[in-house]
Amino acid sequence: MKVVIVGGVAGGATAAARIRRLDEQAEIIVFERSGFISYANCGLPYYIGDVITNKDALTLQTPESFFSRFRVVMKVRHEVTSIDTERKMVAVINLDTGERFEESYDKLILSPGAKPTQPAVPGVGLEKVFTLRTVEDTFRIKEFVQEKQSRSAVIAGGGFIGLELAENLRELGMDVTIVQRPKQLMNPFDRDMASLIHAEMRKHGVKLALGCTVEGFAERADGVDVLLKGQDPLHADFAVLAIGVTPDTQLAKDAGLELGLKGGIVVNDRMETSEPDVYAVGDAVQVRHFVTGQNAIISLAGPANRQGRIAADNICGGDSRYGGSQGSAVVKVFDMTAACTGINEANAAKAGIAADSVVLSPMSHAGYYPGGKVMTMKVVFEKESFRLLGAQIVGYEGVDKRIDVLATAIHAGMKAHELKDLDLAYAPPYSSAKDPVNMAGFMADNIRSGVLKQWHLADVDDLPHDGSATLLDTRTVSEFSRGHLDGFINIPVDELRDRLDELDSAKPVYVICQSGLRSYIACRILAGNGFDCRNFSGGFRFYSAVKEDRLLVEQATPCGMDRE
């Protein structure tokens, strides 16, 4: 059996190694357009920022090491230009010599990945406007920064690569601005949770131009102007386009393969395309979203590697199936960590799913053990069934651990209230006896059983200020004096039982505290005395962080540029 693989990074390299492990006799040839194989896309910004100092560390394998171990022929700087599915041949060009030739195959795997999205605006392709996708891209940016002694950069795009690159350039001492058309960074997060990411970026000196649209680039002798709609241009030494990626599927399109969402290659759960003996994996394929069941393009290394393994299994006579992607991801944001899995509330609404959520601010480990830090968790679930839909966490220690537990729970089909039953490891330096994931489950279970009623950020503007309800803040007097919501009265929770006569039991009570815990206790006191009580999800700490961010965005210059 002869297998030809187009693309030698995540999915392609994984497939090649797996085929060899299953079939020692197979002939395996990989054509990779770039000069590197099996490289770590996610590590590229950290080489630019000198966190990774050895450029050889970016590549997990070389063509020589791959051949030595797996007897797989890795041909770098070779581009497949066309596929003849009837003759089972691919046309190839050696990019170094210009030589053209054909290669036959019995089985073909397409793993071309994705390319940086290039908007149709003037100036794309200028010398001082970069993209970051390959090792070569990384070297170009690194060399430019060093040779020109660059002191400023504008990054168009506030996704994973944009944030990581902004952090690394800032750590080099550069002036960095992120331009993002949506009014938030990191679209996998709900806007309220993204507020916490914004605060950390601003804290470290990154300027945010949220709600801004890039209309083009103009090169100047001393740098580049980034042209913005309704805003004066931003000037910097260079700019980086990081607005997302697009499936690189022109080859598949020309070969007549069925394409779907955003031009992604349509595959079944065996990673088979519409043409016999042709498989496709990685960022170029359309997948089923594990939570919504809808078609999706999810460009992440983990799914690409698993898909490569599945295609290899099936080529070698197995029957492996891909169950879908749920978008689990984590990103370093200076001193913080932000992570997500599944879908957020905004995407649940787009998918037509009625969702609810709990927001909590637990400590990373036992409060009595030194060094614990607060994290903010948002767990999203379906209203009627309580099926887990997604989660977002922003914090310091232990974020990655909790998001992985929640990702596993989603994959297992667990209900939100069943999180309370998970038997998770506990020792004071690592967690609490009631782990944050358990706490989210307790809250969901209280909602399901009717013990807890909530009100959310979206309800703040619609609170009844006409006297038909009681608005109650149960923090201490000193906390209340430092800031509170308009119209709220202050009765500290520890005084509440003795001051119930100050409240009208005929009126519903909307309660808030700093994190949501004391107000929940207050609600139980009130409910036990005949009151109808609703607890604010997230607490005043969460509310104030979101409000501050929205004021900075909405009341800034026309497109949301942070003021100096």
Side-chain angles (χ1 to χ4, degrees), residues 3 5 7 9-22 28 30 66 72 74 109-111 279 281 304-313 315-316:
V3 182
I5 301 174
V9 190
T14 295
R18 177 66 173 173
I19 291 170
R20 174 58 71 227
R21 289 194 293 269
L22 297 177
I28 309 167
V30 179
F66 212 93
V72 170
M74 286 279 188
I109 300 177
L110 300 180
S111 183
Y279 297 74
V281 302
N305 278 279
R306 292 195 298 277
Q307 292 161 14
R309 178 186 174 93
I310 288 167
D313 285 352
I315 284 172
C316 294

Side-chain angles (χ1 to χ4, degrees), residues 21-36:
R21 289 194 293 269
L22 297 177
D23 186 344
E24 185 64 20
Q25 308 307 317
E27 180 183 359
I28 309 167
I29 302 175
V30 179
F31 294 110
E32 168 55 41
R33 182 170 47 198
S34 76
F36 301 87

Side-chain angles (χ1 to χ4, degrees), residues 40-60:
N41 294 80
C42 300
L44 301 182
Y46 297 99
Y47 177 72
I48 294 171
D50 287 337
V51 176
I52 299 171
T53 56
N54 181 4
K55 66 181 180 181
D56 293 335
L58 295 174
T59 53
L60 307 178

Side-chain angles (χ1 to χ4, degrees), residues 188-189 289 291 326-330 339-344 378 380 389-393 402-408 410-411:
F189 290 76
H289 197 289
V291 175
Q326 65 186 57
S328 302
V330 62
C340 60
T341 186
I343 59 173
N344 58 26
K378 184 176 189 178
V380 182
L389 301 175
Q392 304 149 60
I393 312 177
R402 273 67 186 212
I403 206 69
D404 283 343
V405 172
L406 289 162
T408 304
I410 291 170
H411 190 81

Side-chain angles (χ1 to χ4, degrees), residues 32-264:
E32 168 55 41
R33 182 170 47 198
S34 76
F36 301 87
I37 65 163
S38 194
Y39 58 82
N41 294 80
C42 300
L44 301 182
Y46 297 99
Y47 177 72
I48 294 171
D50 287 337
V51 176
I52 299 171
T53 56
N54 181 4
K55 66 181 180 181
D56 293 335
L58 295 174
T59 53
L60 307 178
Q61 294 275 3
T62 65
E64 294 77 19
S65 68
F66 212 93
F67 182 81
S68 177
R69 176 159 295 181
F70 297 110
R71 290 300 187 269
V72 170
V73 177
M74 286 279 188
K75 292 185 175 290
V76 297
R77 300 283 298 158
H78 281 69
E79 181 175 4
V80 174
T81 57
S82 65
I83 304 168
D84 187 331
T85 56
E86 292 187 3
R87 296 171 54 229
K88 287 193 170 183
M89 301 283 287
V90 296
V92 187
I93 181 172
N94 183 325
L95 296 176
D96 290 328
T97 67
E99 175 195 3
R100 293 180 180 271
F101 60 93
E102 286 189 318
E103 193 76 52
S104 64
Y105 67 84
D106 296 313
K107 304 288 184 181
L108 177 65
I109 300 177
L110 300 180
S111 183
K115 55 189 176 183
T117 302
Q118 301 270 15
V121 297
V124 171
L126 290 173
E127 181 184 356
K128 297 173 183 175
V129 179
F130 298 89
T131 58
L132 181 57
R133 183 66 179 174
T134 67
V135 174
E136 288 91 342
D137 294 336
T138 309
F139 292 163
R140 279 193 289 270
I141 296 174
K142 180 87 168 180
E143 289 167 4
F144 184 90
V145 169
Q146 291 177 336
E147 290 177 6
K148 305 296 184 181
Q149 296 185 328
S150 302
R151 306 307 303 162
S152 61
V154 172
I155 300 170
F160 291 97
I161 289 293
L163 262 66
E164 290 170 344
L165 186 56
E167 175 180 343
N168 279 277
L169 295 178
R170 188 76 188 118
E171 295 289 10
L172 292 176
M174 295 177 62
D175 182 80
V176 179
T177 301
I178 296 178
V179 181
Q180 172 87 326
R181 183 164 59 184
K183 291 186 177 181
Q184 69 168 83
L185 303 176
M186 298 297 291
N187 287 333
F189 290 76
D190 282 311
R191 190 175 173 189
D192 50 10
M193 294 294 290
S195 298
L196 306 175
I197 299 173
H198 299 170
E200 185 71 5
M201 298 297 283
R202 293 188 183 108
K203 174 184 173 183
H204 288 272
V206 176
K207 299 171 186 174
L208 304 181
L210 304 178
C212 294
T213 300
V214 174
E215 291 193 321
F217 304 89
E219 195 158 330
R220 303 285 182 247
D222 62 342
V224 63
D225 284 346
V226 180
L227 310 177
L228 305 178
K229 183 177 181 180
Q231 179 78 24
D232 292 336
L234 294 173
H235 183 78
D237 293 334
F238 67 97
V240 180
L241 265 174
I243 61 174
V245 294
T246 303
D248 192 356
T249 56
Q250 188 63 47
L251 185 65
K253 181 180 180 180
D254 293 344
L257 273 63
E258 182 183 354
L259 304 182
L261 187 67
K262 297 182 180 178

